Amino acid sequence: SQHEIVNNACSIPPQDAISHGYELVCSSDSHTHDEEHDKKEEMFLPKLRKFASAHGMNDICVQLTFKKKVFGVGLALPRVEGADYDKPYNPDGIKKGSFKGISVIDPYWLTYEFNEDALQDPTSSTFYDPEYYYAPNGKKIHKSWIIKVVNSHLPDVLKPTYYYGGIPLTQMLYERVYCADKVANEAPLLAMTKRLLIADANVEDMISNPSHVQKLMKIITECIF
């Protein structure tokens, strides 16, 4: 992703997507969409928009998508003061004002722990899906806290190689970008090898003996090209 073209391929799409903005709505089976609900929604959504803007949600979305394309998987963790990350996510246990934002994490910082089904039962919906994530400081995080997005799905047998995510866009692009770069670098070098030759000559002798001059020019042309 350090390459200019590859970096643009990973960073420009999320930037373009977020530049159009988005609309926040309340959507749930429990919502009746009656007059009372609509009134509550009108009061709640402006607060949510302000809250999202204050915590830089647009930048977080761009970072998460960028990391997804670079590593094949993007991981993010809500920062909640006093949260029990080693237990399954429970919104009822989150105190008001304890949310401090969202951190986007490079997957190579984390290690993984699996339950029995995730390792031994390929029919399980959680097969090869880590149950817990461990930070370098030993913090244990249940998977329900992790926001996980995958770039391109791959067979289970390859998941350990790709941080239990997907195939990164960087790997998909690198060979073609390398070939294009190599051709682009060699083109000016090739052009610089085409030098014009300058030879001293007596014009009067050339005019007096045109057949000799023609034969000489033919030999020079064949030797050069």
Side-chain angles (χ1 to χ4, degrees):
S1 64
Q2 298 176 60
H3 191 283
E4 180 184 4
I5 297 174
V6 178
N7 186 278
N8 286 340
C10 295
S11 62
I12 290 178
Q15 291 171 2
D16 284 348
I18 206 69
S19 66
H20 294 284
Y22 52 86
E23 182 180 358
L24 295 174
V25 296
C26 292
S27 178
S28 173
D29 295 336
S30 62
H31 292 165
T32 57
H33 296 288
D34 54 15
E35 185 177 347
E36 183 180 356
H37 165 75
D38 293 340
K39 187 176 181 180
K40 289 181 179 179
E41 185 175 298
E42 288 179 5
M43 296 175 62
F44 172 71
L45 288 180
K47 294 180 181 179
L48 183 58
R49 293 189 189 97
K50 186 176 180 180
F51 184 83
S53 177
H55 285 84
M57 290 300 172
N58 286 8
D59 291 337
I60 291 169
C61 291
V62 170
Q63 289 180 42
L64 186 61
T65 307
F66 175 75
K67 296 294 176 65
K68 176 189 76 171
K69 293 178 181 295
V70 172
F71 297 108
V73 59
L75 302 173
L77 178 70
R79 300 197 314 274
V80 179
E81 202 172 57
D84 294 325
Y85 286 111
D86 58 337
K87 297 179 181 178
Y89 173 73
N90 178 21
D92 295 332
I94 298 176
K95 298 179 181 179
K96 184 177 180 180
S98 61
F99 179 77
K100 303 302 180 183
I102 295 178
S103 294
V104 179
I105 309 168
D106 289 356
Y108 61 77
W109 289 119
L110 303 175
T111 53
Y112 314 96
E113 180 181 314
F114 298 84
N115 59 25
E116 186 175 346
D117 285 345
L119 285 178
Q120 301 180 12
D121 184 6
T123 66
S124 172
S125 60
T126 62
F127 185 63
Y128 263 24
D129 182 21
E131 185 73 11
Y132 292 97
Y133 295 81
Y134 284 88
N137 63 357
K139 179 189 288 188
K140 186 177 181 180
I141 307 168
H142 189 264
K143 66 179 182 180
S144 58
W145 285 93
I146 296 288
I147 302 167
K148 180 179 179 180
V149 290
V150 175
N151 184 59
S152 180
H153 294 280
L154 43 67
D156 292 331
V157 69
L158 295 177
K159 287 183 178 178
T161 307
Y162 292 91
Y163 308 108
Y164 299 94
I167 304 173
L169 183 63
T170 48
Q171 180 178 336
M172 295 177 176
L173 288 178
Y174 89 94
E175 189 171 355
R176 283 288 166 256
V177 172
Y178 169 76
C179 291
D181 244 8
K182 191 172 182 181
V183 172
N185 290 335
E186 288 184 355
L189 297 176
L190 183 63
M192 286 189 292
T193 63
K194 304 303 178 185
R195 303 296 188 189
L196 293 176
L197 297 181
I198 300 175
D200 294 330
N202 189 312
V203 178
E204 292 182 359
D205 289 344
M206 293 177 65
I207 295 174
S208 63
N209 195 354
S211 60
H212 176 72
V213 173
Q214 187 176 1
K215 186 184 296 184
L216 181 62
M217 295 301 294
K218 185 178 180 181
I219 294 172
I220 293 174
T221 302
E222 288 177 353
C223 290
I224 295 175
F225 299 104

